[in-house]
């Protein structure tokens, strides 16, 4: 019997190292390809903002467009659904007589339930799922998911010793498209409730798509050799070069963690092996750890009491939350990062740690509000990386003092860039403007006593 395959792209928007695509390519006589937007994911939540905001949408749109172009170059096409996979896939399966569906395996509850609904509505096709998200395949790590350790170290050391990333899979050379299948257009921002102004005023920090991801990988490694200094530059906030910026591409699967790993190994062999190359791999292993840990705890990671069931008495002042979201708290280090997030969909790790700590420990606002806001905005939003990092900030990590950190990391230029009201201030004034009565920039929500030492140190700064 003739095998007609459907490759269902989700968060694996790439041709290289995509097991679902490779298997479908090898096993089927001809193929159709599909991506479906989930319109429901763009609705406004209880906190008043859309679950996926315009900047995230724009980055996704760019990534899908690139996938479509890449498929077309080798004889494929991409059918794009604008409402839901539950509507589009069963209809396509019936229309084209699809016998087999190939897709990446999901693990988060919402996505798993979506996949199950599609399977239930598509009785005639056989579904095949492939694990593709992590550096180490989930079947190769030395732990059952139910026994993933509670500390990263207890995971990292045995995983690094006993697991090896699997070989990456080549991209298909020439696709055999099912007769009559045609690519569709990316739907407009209007379908998802965005205004022209909202859509046009946001600028994802990097452009989406597999081509851009591979170019970035080449740039960060062999072209610029920035990787050699990564260990020492990674804590900065401003610009494209202090860290890899692989996260947006990993989040949508425009690149696989294994492809990055292979490039790092090639770099170590040809250019340099040092603490930086080891550290980048270490970060990818963190990402794996959070994925597996999120799988272990399931929906418990989304609760305000966390998976540890620890109750905290939040104050949850809506006005303070609004000021945090808008970047108008009056604390320049926090505001600059929040404004950068709002416009570009990206924030450095240093910024994320500080903004999360300030929200949770100073403003005493429920960490799940902050995690939801990040979910709405981040172009690198990833269920497990976002919610597990927030969980850690709320329950496990020491307080981070944003005034001290702005001085330690010499954030003056970064602040002047993102807060134009402060652009004329001196290096001292720009970190603690409330001490110098600056017009046009809000007074801080509160200046805490615990910041006194950091404030006096800045006042005595000589630069
Ligand atoms: P690099 O420093 O170049 O690191 C390389 C890669 O390692 C990253 O692309 C990422 O995939 C991985 N990585 C690095 N740090 C972490 C980490 N702490 N946790 C998990 N993976 C890591 N990362 C996301 O990818 N998506 C998120 O939704 C997300 N939300 C976060 C929320 C909070 C509150 C915090 C504190 C961190 C969050 N992170 C998230 C982790 C981290 O901030 C970003 O991965 C990193 O800033 C991305 O920039 P980069 O690619 O240049 O990172």
């Amino acid at each position: 019997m003739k095998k007609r395959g459907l490759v269902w792209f989700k968060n694996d928007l790439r041709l290289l190292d995509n097991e679902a695509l490779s298997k479908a390519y090898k096993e089927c006589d001809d193929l159709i390809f599909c991506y479906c937007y989930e319109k429901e994911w763009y609705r406004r939540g209880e906190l008043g903002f859309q679950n996926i905001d315009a900047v995230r949408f724009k980055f996704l749109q760019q990534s899908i467009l690139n996938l479509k172009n890449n498929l077309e170059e080798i004889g494929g096409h991409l059918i794009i659904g604008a409402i839901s996979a539950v509507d589009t896939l069963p209809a396509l399966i019936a229309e084209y007589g699809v016998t087999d569906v190939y897709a990446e395996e999901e693990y988060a509850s919402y996505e798993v339930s979506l996949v199950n609904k599609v399977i239930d509505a598509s009785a005639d096709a056989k579904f095949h799922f492939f694990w593709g998200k992590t550096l180490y395949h989930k079947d190769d790590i030395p732990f059952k998911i139910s026994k993933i350790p509670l500390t990263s170290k207890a995971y990292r050391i045995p995983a690094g010793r006993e697991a090896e990333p699997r070989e990456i899979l080549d991209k298909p050379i020439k696709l055999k498209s099912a007769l009559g299948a045609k690519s569709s257009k990316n739907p407009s921002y209007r379908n998802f409730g965005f205004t022209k102004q909202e859509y046009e005023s946001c600028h994802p920090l990097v452009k989406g798509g597999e081509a851009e991801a591979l170019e970035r990988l080449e740039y960060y490694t062999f072209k610029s050799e920035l990787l050699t200094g990564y260990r020492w530059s990674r804590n900065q906030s401003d610009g494209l070069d202090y860290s890899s910026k692989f996260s947006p591409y990993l989040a949508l699967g425009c690149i696989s963690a294994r492809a990055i790993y292979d490039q790092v190994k090639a770099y170590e062999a040809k250019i340099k092996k040092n603490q930086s190359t080891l550290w980048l791999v270490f970060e990818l292993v963190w990402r794996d750890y959070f994925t597996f840990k999120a799988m272990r705890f399931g929906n418990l990671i989304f609760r305000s009491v966390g998976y540890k069931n620890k109750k905290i008495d939040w104050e949850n002042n809506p006005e303070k939350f609004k000021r945090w979201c808008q970047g108008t708290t009056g604390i320049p280090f926090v505001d600059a990062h929040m404004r950068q997030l709002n416009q570009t969909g990206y924030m450095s790790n240093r910024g994320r740690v500080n903004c999360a700590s300030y929200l949770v420990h100073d403003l005493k606002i429920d960490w799940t509000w902050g995690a939801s806001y990040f979910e709405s905005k981040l172009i690198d939003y990833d269920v497990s990386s976002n919610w597990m990092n927030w969980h850690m900030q709320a329950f496990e990590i020491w307080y981070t003092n944003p005034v001290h950190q702005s001085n330690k990391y010499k954030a003056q230029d970064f602040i002047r860039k993102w807060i134009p009201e402060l652009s004329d201030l001196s290096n001292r004034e720009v970190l603690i403007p409330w001490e110098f009565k600056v017009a046009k920039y809000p007074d801080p929500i509160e200046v805490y006593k615990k910041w006194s030492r950091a404030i006096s140190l800045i006042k005595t700064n000589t630069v």
Side-chain angles (χ1 to χ4, degrees):
M1 188 187 144
K2 192 173 162 177
K3 236 179 166 184
R4 172 162 286 175
L6 184 155
V7 182
W8 176 16
F9 290 98
K10 294 186 267 95
N11 282 331
D12 56 340
L13 305 179
R14 63 177 182 273
L15 304 191
L16 180 69
D17 198 25
N18 184 329
E19 196 174 352
L21 175 65
S22 291
K23 277 273 160 47
Y25 175 58
K26 282 195 190 120
E27 292 178 2
C28 297
D29 298 296
D30 59 16
L31 294 167
I32 63 172
F33 306 90
C34 184
Y35 177 86
C36 300
Y37 286 88
E38 295 300 322
K39 198 164 178 180
E40 196 191 303
W41 294 359
Y42 292 80
R43 70 178 191 278
R44 259 171 220 285
E46 283 169 15
L47 293 167
F49 43 82
Q50 281 176 275
N51 286 357
I52 298 180
D53 208 333
V55 67
R56 233 186 108 187
F57 167 74
K58 206 178 219 179
F59 183 75
L60 173 63
Q61 219 187 20
Q62 293 167 347
S63 304
I64 291 166
L65 182 62
N66 185 244
L67 175 69
K68 182 170 100 152
N69 293 340
N70 294 342
L71 285 168
E72 285 174 351
E73 257 175 40
I74 53 169
H77 55 269
L78 186 66
I79 298 170
I80 304 174
I83 297 173
S84 171
V86 182
D87 288 336
T88 307
L89 286 187
L92 280 179
I93 290 167
E95 183 184 344
Y96 286 91
V98 169
T99 56
D100 296 79
V101 178
Y102 296 79
E104 188 166 284
E105 185 177 335
E106 298 294 337
Y107 66 95
S109 58
Y110 210 87
E111 288 74 8
V112 170
S113 110
L114 177 79
V115 167
N116 287 336
K117 282 186 203 156
V118 171
I119 297 175
D120 288 347
S122 315
D124 295 338
K126 202 165 158 198
F127 281 74
H128 312 268
F129 294 102
F130 304 89
W131 185 255
K133 183 187 168 187
T134 47
L135 177 64
Y136 300 128
H137 193 285
K138 75 176 169 48
D139 297 340
D140 299 344
I141 55 171
F143 299 100
K144 283 189 178 148
I145 293 298
S146 59
K147 295 271 186 306
I148 291 295
L150 293 179
T151 66
S152 70
K153 201 169 167 193
Y155 165 80
R156 242 186 320 111
I157 294 171
R161 209 173 35 221
E162 293 174 46
E164 262 301 311
R166 293 186 181 181
E167 298 244 312
I168 68 168
L169 303 159
D170 292 337
K171 358 184 202 188
I173 299 163
K174 180 96 193 93
L175 295 168
K176 189 152 189 314
S177 193
L179 205 67
K182 275 204 192 101
S183 291
S184 27
K185 263 183 140 177
N186 239 330
S188 151
Y189 57 87
R190 288 193 199 88
N191 285 39
F192 303 95
F194 302 116
T195 63
K196 189 165 192 260
Q197 212 270 334
E198 279 169 335
Y199 182 75
E200 286 179 355
S201 65
C202 61
H203 307 282
L205 182 86
V206 288
K207 190 171 173 202
E210 181 175 18
E212 298 282 340
L214 296 174
E215 204 175 295
R216 177 75 197 165
L217 180 63
E218 194 58 30
Y219 171 76
Y220 198 70
T221 54
F222 291 105
K223 218 166 175 181
S224 68
E225 296 186 15
L226 282 164
L227 176 56
T228 299
Y230 167 73
R231 167 80 175 82
W232 300 277
S233 61
R234 56 180 281 277
N235 267 318
Q236 296 165 17
S237 289
D238 201 10
L240 285 172
D241 285 352
Y242 66 84
S243 70
S244 73
K245 308 296 182 296
F246 295 151
S247 59
Y249 300 116
L250 282 164
L252 291 186
C254 301
I255 197 165
S256 71
R258 292 189 296 226
I260 297 174
Y261 177 85
D262 272 13
Q263 182 95 341
V264 173
K265 290 291 138 190
Y267 186 88
E268 286 180 336
K270 290 190 193 137
I271 309 285
K272 195 171 180 72
K273 178 175 178 175
N274 68 357
Q275 280 191 50
S276 291
T277 54
L278 296 176
W279 204 275
L280 195 83
V281 173
F282 168 86
E283 294 292 358
L284 294 175
V285 174
W286 255 108
R287 177 175 173 272
D288 277 16
Y289 172 61
F290 278 147
T291 303
F292 297 137
K293 196 169 174 185
M295 287 165 81
R296 170 174 169 178
F297 289 107
N299 280 347
L300 299 183
I301 67 165
F302 304 120
R303 302 186 315 171
S304 174
V305 292
Y307 65 79
K308 295 183 169 175
N309 209 17
K310 200 168 159 190
K311 186 153 172 29
I312 297 176
D313 286 325
W314 306 109
E315 290 175 11
N316 287 348
N317 180 312
E319 186 52 34
K320 290 182 187 173
F321 181 58
K322 194 168 156 200
R323 286 181 65 178
W324 180 83
C325 293
Q326 290 173 337
T328 54
T329 65
I331 308 304
F333 198 51
V334 172
D335 291 347
H337 281 107
M338 293 303 293
R339 292 184 194 193
Q340 180 195 32
L341 172 70
N342 290 337
Q343 282 183 45
T344 68
Y346 180 86
M347 190 194 284
S348 63
N349 188 59
R350 189 80 345 240
R352 296 181 207 208
V353 167
N354 274 273
C355 293
S357 166
Y358 176 73
L359 184 86
V360 169
H361 301 297
D362 291 331
L363 300 185
K364 304 207 180 310
I365 290 176
D366 189 335
W367 69 278
T368 64
W369 292 23
S372 301
Y373 191 72
F374 272 28
E375 173 170 346
S376 161
K377 294 282 179 187
L378 281 174
I379 56 172
D380 66 13
Y381 172 70
D382 170 79
V383 183
S384 43
S385 295
N386 188 56
W387 287 83
M388 295 309 300
N389 268 298
W390 270 97
H391 192 287
M392 213 165 79
Q393 292 299 322
F395 297 111
E396 289 164 47
I397 293 240
W398 292 99
Y399 174 69
T400 313
N401 175 339
V403 181
H404 170 67
Q405 294 252 315
S406 66
N407 193 25
K408 180 175 173 186
Y409 291 102
K410 300 189 173 51
Q412 285 91 341
D413 287 341
F414 177 72
I415 293 170
R416 283 190 278 257
K417 174 172 165 186
W418 290 100
I419 311 182
E421 306 95 287
L422 302 182
S423 61
D424 293 337
L425 297 197
S426 71
N427 278 347
R428 217 175 304 158
E429 292 164 340
V430 79
L431 301 184
I432 44 173
W434 62 88
E435 295 282 327
F436 302 95
K437 303 270 171 279
V438 177
K440 289 192 285 183
Y441 182 64
D443 281 336
I445 294 174
E446 189 170 341
V447 177
Y448 301 93
K449 235 182 161 169
K450 59 192 167 190
W451 295 348
S452 304
R453 202 174 121 70
I455 294 171
S456 352
L457 268 177
I458 294 171
K459 281 185 173 166
T460 57
N461 267 357
T462 48
V463 282

